[in-house]
Amino acid sequence: MSSTSRKTYTLSDFKVELSQGFGETDVRVAEYVVTEQLKKAFDKALGIVKAAVTSGNSHAAYLHGSFGAGKSHFLTVLHAVLNNHPATKSKPRLAEAVAGHEDWLRGSRFLMVPYHLVGSADLDSALLGGYVHTVRELHPGHPLPAVYRSDALLADARGQREFLGDDARFLEWLGEGAKLLAPGPAAPAQADPDDMPMLGGPAAPAEGGPAGGWSSEDLDRAFAAATDDDPHRERLVAALLAGPMSSYAQGVRGQAGAYVPLENGLKAISRHARSLGYTGVVLFLDELVLWLQAHMGEQDFVRDQVQRLVKLIESADSDRPVPIVSFVSRQRDLSQLIGSDVAGADVQNLEQQIEYLSERFDVVDLEDSNLVEIIKHRVLAPKPGMAAARDDAFRLVESTGDEVRQILLDAQGRTEATWDDFRELYPLSPALLNVLVDLSGALQRERTGLKLVQELLRRRRDDLRLGELIPLGDLWDVIADRSGAAFTPRLRRESEIAHRFHGRVREELLKKYGSPDDQRFRADERFVKTLLLASLAPNVPALTRLNGTRIAALNHGTIRSRVGDAGSKATKRLKELQVPFDSELRSEGDSTDPVFHLHLSDIDVEPLLEEVQGVADQLGYRRQWIKDQLWSALGIKDTQSFVCEREVVWRGTRRTVEFVFGNVRDPHLPDEEFAPQSRGSIRIVLDYPFDDGDHSPMDDLQRVERLRAGRSEPTLVWLPHFFSEQTGRQLG
């Protein structure tokens, strides 16, 4: 396969860290693909910044997109636009979006502050400490903003003052910081104190005291001040941070409790940014939802952090000389996060808080449909002169039957690819990309769509021939590499179970075919891997109703056969695999063209119950799970009907055994359900191993005794609560 470019990528090539991207502007802008939808997204983001600048009010917006949608890369390019970087003026589509904002961008200057929230103690320390870190790098030597709870700092300074015993020596000890205590330029008449150059303090005293203006009384006042907003205390703290205690700011970065409340700190950084000549401050918050998700067991903490987010735009201390604009990366709605990952009575209260928050945040969408266009340009662009070879190869795909073509196009999926899109995506299919996009929400952040596509191509570069497609089943290999490590905790257990089942299937196929290089081995394994993907992403359109034709089409070229024959061969192979794996590999519907699915039965029920607590009937989910375990252990195919059957040989005669799972004492289970449906059959009724209210196993036993009178049908009732001779009671 040689028609597409084969650049070698490392694991980090497609993931942009905000702090790194800001220093690689030329490269990041050059490689960025601006689609029509992204052009609109840039225009909306710039409109949000414009609204903040023209009104003077702070604004906040979610940057919403799935994992791998390029949120960090988008913010890196937006940073370049707001900084008037020349590369943005010539970038196709991006230049068109920027052109409509040239009037206000031309004279503006923004301080960009990137945040990577994973690992942060809380929002206050992350936002305020991150701002200080950025300012120290961009403006070394400039006084820092008054964002610290400075009691400990001043206590150390007070001890040093007492040790030196002389204020002149103390001011000498301040070194460079003492310059901040010297008088500044005369203040204009009726000047706003916030306009003063040194962190918002008052005009410096007249000459004559220590440091050319400060007296011992001034120092006493600064040390005695009770709050950080006292101008003398504020100026002394700035002097200490710029002088002998400059390491304090770096040392406490990220420590909860080291900073003033967020609303006060945001006012301080706004004043500080204006003193540096900036038009506004733009905060880029990355991985917010991942960070909150890591704390979902601490409901009070999460609730508090969600409430603090409102302070980005609304605050009791809202006097901000320059606006603060916040862009928050979000890979899914916070309400979905709360609703699915938190159990308990507080769910509704949390959802109400988040609804309150969502009404105050704008949303800039990065749609999944961009992935197709981005992959075309960044991964699948033909080598120079090879476009014709690619088109010739694609004609072999075009020659397939209409049903196969429609399955590969996957018109019901996330992205609406055309046949021309398919040609430019070759050797990938739109169906494969749609499955990848839908699974992205369950993957760890380092496994972006672009990385997985590149890994798919790398694995097949030596054996994929022109005219062949990458089979969908191969996606399992790159997603499930290192077992559950690819998935977020929500799906990690399920993926580990799937990984173990895959290992058992490989062992069986090795016994059957002798070698993993056998074409039949590879085909059967791809079919099973397609079903494994469907078990982890059951709602993906491309993976629903997987009959033989659909599975063969999604793995086009895996079975070499006459047109229209691949589906029947795939059905035959999967039916053969049902023999050793009848409890896991199941089918339903027409026996000549069944729909296949996997039932991986040892999934732990407790995470599922916690996930639906307060949303679904907990008892109903328990009943279904226990029924699944019983049917799996007894080798019964679950046809989703009230009565399920299994053929057995009893006393030399083949008999049909009918199984019912229900509450024996409940009158909603009518007496008729204790009798076999057909002559010669045997019915087994299995009682629930739990009940509600004041009911006890005796209620079940009493009904069994009542039904025994006058009954002759071969029916067995199993009461799991009785571990004695009463465990099973035969009605006839």
Side-chain angles (χ1 to χ4, degrees):
M1 181 74 187
S2 59
S3 66
T4 56
S5 53
R6 292 183 178 177
K7 176 184 174 182
T8 301
Y9 294 90
T10 66
L11 285 177
S12 61
D13 276 328
F14 291 118
K15 175 63 183 175
V16 176
E17 297 289 351
L18 284 177
S19 56
Q20 297 173 356
F22 288 172
E24 304 169 348
T25 304
D26 289 313
V27 174
R28 296 307 179 192
V29 173
E31 69 186 6
Y32 195 71
V33 178
V34 183
T35 66
E36 282 296 330
Q37 193 277 322
L38 288 173
K39 172 185 168 183
K40 296 176 182 177
F42 277 109
D43 182 64
K44 183 170 184 178
L46 289 171
I48 292 169
V49 179
K50 177 184 178 181
V53 171
T54 55
S55 69
N57 298 322
S58 295
H59 284 255
Y62 287 125
L63 187 63
H64 183 78
S66 62
F67 284 110
K71 297 182 292 294
S72 297
H73 206 161
F74 179 92
L75 291 177
T76 300
V77 176
L78 180 62
H79 166 264
V81 171
L82 292 173
N83 263 346
N84 289 290
H85 194 282
T88 64
K89 311 295 183 182
S90 57
K91 184 75 177 178
R93 292 197 180 104
L94 180 62
E96 300 171 26
V98 174
H101 299 273
E102 285 287 354
D103 55 340
W104 64 272
L105 275 176
R106 192 177 302 109
S108 300
R109 181 169 174 249
F110 294 93
L111 177 59
M112 313 289 176
V113 186
Y115 298 94
H116 184 71
L117 290 176
V118 173
S120 300
D122 62 9
L123 274 175
D124 294 28
S125 59
L127 298 185
L128 303 181
Y131 178 89
V132 170
H133 177 75
T134 299
V135 167
R136 286 170 67 95
E137 289 189 341
L138 297 178
H139 302 280
H142 194 280
L144 299 177
V147 296
Y148 298 102
R149 295 184 186 273
S150 49
D151 290 347
L153 179 100
L154 289 174
D156 290 342
R158 185 181 294 109
Q160 182 67 12
R161 184 188 184 197
E162 293 171 356
F163 172 77
L164 294 172
D166 180 85
D167 285 345
R169 294 181 63 192
F170 175 77
L171 292 167
E172 182 180 349
W173 173 75
L174 282 178
E176 288 295 316
K179 295 178 182 179
L180 300 184
L181 302 180
Q190 299 179 340
D192 185 333
D194 285 346
D195 285 331
M196 299 311 297
M198 296 301 176
L199 301 177
E207 299 279 354
W214 269 51
S215 64
S216 295
E217 289 75 16
D218 292 326
L219 289 173
D220 290 340
R221 177 178 172 181
F223 278 115
T227 60
D228 282 333
D229 59 0
D230 182 280
H232 282 74
R233 175 177 170 131
E234 185 177 326
R235 186 168 292 205
L236 178 58
V237 169
L240 290 166
L241 291 173
M245 295 187 176
S246 59
S247 60
Y248 176 87
Q250 194 65 21
V252 300
R253 184 188 179 200
Q255 290 186 11
Y259 298 87
V260 299
L262 184 59
E263 55 190 310
N264 305 117
L266 291 172
K267 176 182 177 180
I269 67 176
S270 174
R271 292 163 55 187
H272 186 263
R274 186 180 62 175
S275 76
L276 293 171
Y278 288 105
T279 307
V281 180
V282 180
L283 310 181
F284 291 156
L285 282 66
D286 201 14
E287 309 294 14
L288 171 71
V289 174
L290 279 181
W291 176 64
L292 285 175
Q293 190 172 8
H295 293 278
M296 290 314 294
E298 310 166 58
Q299 294 183 28
D300 290 339
F301 175 84
V302 172
R303 184 185 303 109
D304 180 56
Q305 300 308 304
V306 170
Q307 290 173 342
R308 293 188 193 193
L309 282 171
V310 180
K311 296 178 181 179
L312 292 171
I313 48 179
E314 298 177 4
S315 173
D317 192 1
S318 58
D319 183 15
R320 301 174 184 174
V322 298
I324 297 175
V325 183
S326 304
F327 288 97
V328 181
S329 292
R330 182 184 70 174
Q331 59 271 14
R332 54 180 168 149
D333 291 336
L334 281 174
S335 59
Q336 293 178 0
L337 175 70
I338 296 294
S340 64
D341 291 356
V342 177
D346 291 335
V347 170
Q348 290 184 346
N349 290 334
L350 286 169
E351 288 180 335
Q352 289 173 0
Q353 295 173 35
I354 289 166
E355 181 63 26
Y356 168 82
L357 185 65
S358 65
E359 293 173 357
R360 286 155 177 78
F361 275 52
D362 288 305
V363 177
V364 178
D365 279 307
L366 304 186
E367 296 178 0
D368 293 324
S369 58
N370 294 312
L371 184 62
V372 172
E373 192 72 17
I374 292 169
I375 287 176
K376 286 181 192 177
H377 290 87
R378 292 194 62 187
V379 182
L380 297 175
K383 291 181 177 181
M386 294 300 294
R390 178 203 62 189
D391 294 346
D392 289 342
F394 187 71
R395 290 192 182 94
L396 295 176
V397 179
E398 289 181 304
S399 66
T400 59
D402 184 65
E403 184 177 10
V404 173
R405 290 164 50 131
Q406 293 306 312
I407 292 172
L408 290 171
L409 274 176
D410 190 25
Q412 303 301 316
R414 289 275 192 110
T415 60
E416 297 181 4
T418 66
W419 200 250
D420 288 335
D421 290 327
F422 193 174
R423 179 182 295 102
E424 294 184 321
L425 289 172
Y426 176 82
L428 306 177
S429 69
L432 185 150
L433 289 179
N434 285 336
V435 172
L436 178 59
V437 169
D438 277 283
L439 277 171
S440 64
L443 297 176
Q444 298 282 24
R445 64 184 296 272
E446 68 272 9
R447 282 174 165 78
T448 68
L450 289 175
K451 286 182 183 177
L452 294 177
V453 165
Q454 178 62 27
E455 179 63 13
L456 270 174
L457 296 171
R458 186 193 66 78
R459 292 184 179 215
R460 297 297 309 277
R461 66 182 301 170
D462 294 327
D463 66 342
L464 188 68
R465 299 176 180 276
L466 287 170
E468 296 178 347
L469 289 174
I470 301 281
L472 178 64
D474 288 5
L475 184 58
W476 168 261
D477 296 326
V478 298
I479 286 180
D481 190 23
R482 295 194 293 270
S483 186
F487 293 90
T488 57
R490 182 175 63 85
L491 269 183
R492 188 164 297 160
R493 177 172 173 78
E494 289 90 329
S495 67
E496 289 171 351
I497 295 169
H499 188 81
R500 291 196 297 271
F501 175 70
H502 177 225
R504 291 169 52 211
V505 170
R506 282 185 61 88
E507 292 177 3
E508 180 65 28
L509 293 178
L510 280 173
K511 293 178 186 177
K512 184 176 182 179
Y513 298 121
S515 170
D517 295 326
D518 188 291
Q519 183 183 353
R520 295 166 298 174
F521 178 103
R522 292 197 298 268
D524 289 7
E525 186 189 23
R526 280 174 178 149
F527 299 157
V528 171
K529 289 187 290 190
T530 302
L531 292 168
L532 285 169
L533 290 171
S535 71
L536 296 179
N539 298 320
V540 178
L543 295 176
T544 57
R545 306 293 298 173
L546 289 174
N547 60 5
T549 299
R550 192 167 188 82
I551 292 174
L554 292 171
N555 295 278
H556 179 65
T558 297
I559 289 182
R560 305 186 191 283
S561 64
R562 298 187 303 274
V563 175
D565 195 36
S568 60
K569 287 190 175 182
T571 299
K572 179 176 181 295
R573 299 275 191 85
L574 288 170
K575 282 186 173 182
E576 292 173 357
L577 274 175
Q578 282 186 293
V579 176
F581 300 107
D582 62 326
S583 62
E584 292 99 344
L585 179 54
R586 303 181 179 183
S587 59
E588 59 185 24
D590 186 352
S591 60
T592 61
D593 187 26
V595 172
F596 294 94
H597 61 92
L598 290 177
H599 185 80
L600 305 179
S601 59
D602 56 343
I603 296 177
D604 185 6
V605 69
E606 291 305 321
L608 299 178
L609 293 174
E610 291 176 1
E611 193 168 325
V612 300
Q613 187 172 348
V615 180
D617 177 11
Q618 184 180 17
L619 186 60
Y621 271 73
R622 288 185 183 275
R623 291 171 180 169
Q624 182 61 46
W625 184 82
I626 290 178
K627 178 185 177 183
D628 291 343
Q629 305 308 301
L630 284 170
W631 269 212
S632 175
L634 296 171
I636 305 168
K637 291 185 178 181
D638 189 357
T639 59
Q640 304 301 315
S641 60
F642 183 76
V643 179
C644 295
E645 299 178 350
R646 178 184 171 185
E647 298 292 325
V648 299
V649 176
W650 185 59
R651 294 183 179 179
T653 304
R654 183 172 295 277
R655 307 286 290 273
T656 298
V657 182
E658 303 167 352
F659 292 88
V660 173
F661 182 61
N663 192 345
V664 169
R665 63 100 193 146
D666 193 340
H668 289 96
L669 183 65
D671 292 352
E672 294 77 24
E673 295 300 338
F674 289 80
Q677 289 180 334
S678 57
R679 186 177 182 84
S681 296
I682 302 171
R683 175 157 294 199
I684 298 177
V685 180
L686 299 104
D687 184 40
Y688 291 159
F690 42 72
D691 211 331
D692 53 13
D694 297 325
H695 297 289
S696 72
M698 289 304 301
D699 296 313
D700 302 290
L701 183 59
Q702 289 171 5
R703 187 178 191 192
V704 172
E705 295 295 348
R706 179 175 61 81
L707 289 170
R708 291 183 68 186
R711 300 293 292 270
S712 60
E713 297 90 350
T715 300
L716 180 71
V717 180
W718 180 54
L719 304 179
H721 293 286
F722 289 81
F723 295 98
S724 65
E725 72 280 357
Q726 296 176 334
T727 297
R729 288 300 179 101
Q730 187 171 341
L731 299 185

